[in-house]
Amino acid sequence: MSKLHLVFGGRVTDPQTLEFQDPSKLDVVGIFPDYATAEKAWRAAAQKTVDDAEMRYVVVHLHRMLEPDA
C-alpha cells in the first residue's frame, strides 16, 4: 500500500492548537504518494500565509489511519 499523505490547512481559533474555526472552509492542498512530496506541498502552502498567525497547514499520514496496526 502507498504511504498516502493529506495536506490541508485553515484558520485556527488559537495559533497553538489545531482547532479550526470553520472546517467547511478548509483549504485541501491534496493527497500525495510520499512524505517528501507532501512536505514540499505543505511548505509551499504555509509560505503563502506565513504572516498570518491564525492560518495553519498540516500533513496527515493517511496510511497510518487506514492501517493503524501496520
Side-chain angles (χ1 to χ4, degrees):
M1 181 170 126
S2 296
K3 293 194 173 189
L4 299 174
H5 297 79
L6 167 66
V7 178
F8 72 93
R11 192 163 299 284
V12 293
T13 58
D14 177 347
Q16 296 184 357
T17 70
L18 283 175
E19 184 177 333
F20 292 97
Q21 288 180 11
D22 187 353
S24 69
K25 293 184 179 177
L26 290 175
D27 175 21
V28 178
V29 178
I31 297 174
F32 301 90
D34 55 61
Y35 183 78
T37 308
E39 182 182 27
K40 188 174 181 180
W42 167 79
R43 286 186 186 281
Q47 184 63 38
K48 292 178 187 177
T49 61
V50 71
D51 293 329
D52 186 349
E54 292 181 345
M55 286 297 289
R56 188 94 182 257
Y57 281 86
V58 295
V59 177
V60 177
H61 300 265
L62 291 179
H63 61 277
R64 292 182 184 167
M65 296 175 72
L66 295 172
E67 291 187 5
D69 296 331

